[in-house]
Amino acid sequence: MEFQIALLRGDGIGPEITDSAVKVLESVGAQYGHCFRFHPYLIGGCAIDETGIPLPDETVNGCLASDSVLLGAVGGPKWDDLPGEQRPEKALLGIRSALGLYTNLRPAKLFPALKGASPLRADLVEQGFDIMIVRELTGGIYFGDRGMRTGKFGEEAFDTEAYSVFEIERIGRAAFEAAMKRSRRLVSVDKANVLETSRLWRKTIHRLAAEYPKVICSDMFVDNAAMQLVRNPRQFDVIVTSNMFGDILSDEASQITGSIGMLASASLGDTTRGMYEPIHGSAPDIAGQDIANPIATILSVAMMLRYAFGLTKEADRVEQAVDTVLANGCRTADLIGSTDAKPLRCSEMTAEILAALQSL
Ligand code: NAD
């Protein structure tokens, strides 16, 4: 089969890690007889440099015409002083909105070989954990009214959060469906003791829960959830939450799996297209040095194989290859911290995963 993939390399380590993931897809294609065609488009800072704007129409149209989208990361200090509307990160919100990607799946799984890389106590990670964070992606405070004004104390800035029943229902449904395919436990995270949007969130999730009697659904305040994630991550299976809470909690969840360089994500809407990207940013501090961990992006293309193309066997194989190299002791710098072991470079880790793919 032939699949058209819009390739948004972006900035910083974006080009290095997406190149690794492209090699993995090409290898899978060669083994299973699929043809993945890559169509590169500009996004973020590199788009600003070339065209003056972070999300050119050509990029949006290219993504809309593709079967799926692979994104590296955007942003960096070079563009940090631009006004908010013109910054690279604005392109992320724009492309999610243009493609209607309201569901962000962020699996946080501890690979058995990485127990030692987790900052949590050994007894907390001994049995591993496997959490699916379902984050709302096109609403809430990241998309609300914002601006500057004169307030009681002079100049002030404001951002507002709004959620409709429609938006909560559709992300809630995605989470209940995800829970039905897993262990049927769902925790809805909000701040209903303070925020009006959270009270509507909670009421709507409770109403939906009646449609999914097989799912054990409970509520948790976001501050408690942040604490419970490091106290006992195994208590969680599926977590559903708003855009900003999900952004923050998934970074926390990533760190307890060993490194932010391990976590993949899928952004989905009502079509099968979706956009697949690591949850980390463009890591300007290590860009261009060939030391980034490519695994989050490689696991993102495993999610693409599974969700966008329905290629389950192929997706499993990529995940097994990652499992194998980690079990063999392969580590990029972010995974070994300050030990004496020599870390693999990004290109070396990619080569190990490609070799594992061939030999499985
Ligand atoms: P970051 O995720 O880029 O980096 C945080 C830390 O994690 C850094 O020390 C970095 O070196 C490390 N890190 C991240 N990915 C890694 C990898 N694959 N391998 C090894 N180490 C890795 O977050 P930040 O520093 O807050 O942001 C940098 C830029 O990225 C900013 O401009 C920010 O706006 C942008 N950003 C973009 C996205 C995106 O494109 N989806 C997401 C978050 C941040």
Side-chain angles (χ1 to χ4, degrees), residues 175-203:
F176 276 103
E177 293 295 334
M180 285 296 285
K181 292 188 193 124
R182 294 168 54 103
S183 76
R184 298 181 176 175
R185 284 182 295 125
L186 175 66
V187 176
S188 172
V189 172
D190 61 35
K191 188 72 184 165
N193 49 346
V194 178
L195 299 176
E196 209 54 58
T197 40
S198 281
R199 282 192 271 275
L200 183 64
W201 181 281
R202 194 173 273 216
K203 199 166 114 189

Side-chain angles (χ1 to χ4, degrees), residues 8-15 17-18 43 71-75 277-278 280-283:
L8 315 183
R9 290 193 176 91
D11 310 313
I13 60 171
I17 54 174
T18 47
I43 191 165
L71 171 68
V74 302
E277 56 178 309
H280 59 72
S282 60

Side-chain angles (χ1 to χ4, degrees), residues 13 73-76 89 92 260-261 277 280-286 292-293 334:
I13 60 171
V74 302
E89 293 81 357
L92 293 176
I260 196 167
E277 56 178 309
H280 59 72
S282 60
D285 50 335
I286 57 168
N293 184 349
D334 55 309

Side-chain angles (χ1 to χ4, degrees), residues 327-343:
N328 289 346
C330 298
R331 302 282 186 274
T332 41
D334 55 309
L335 294 173
I336 59 168
S338 58
T339 68
D340 290 330
K342 187 172 173 292

Side-chain angles (χ1 to χ4, degrees), residues 59-114:
T59 301
V60 175
N61 293 334
C63 291
L64 284 169
S66 69
D67 296 317
S68 193
V69 182
L70 174 60
L71 171 68
V74 302
K78 181 175 175 191
W79 306 281
D80 273 354
D81 294 331
L82 290 173
E85 286 301 302
Q86 296 162 31
R87 286 179 55 133
E89 293 81 357
K90 194 72 192 162
L92 293 176
L93 305 188
I95 194 72
R96 288 167 187 166
S97 205
L99 301 181
L101 305 175
Y102 57 84
T103 301
N104 189 210
L105 300 182
R106 295 185 158 200
K109 179 179 160 190
L110 181 67
F111 280 84
L114 289 186

Side-chain angles (χ1 to χ4, degrees), residues 130-131 185 187 220 228-229 233-239:
D130 182 358
I131 304 168
R185 284 182 295 125
V187 176
M220 197 178 275
Q228 295 295 341
L229 265 176
R234 277 181 68 75
Q235 71 184 283
F236 295 107
D237 181 31
V238 180
I239 293 175

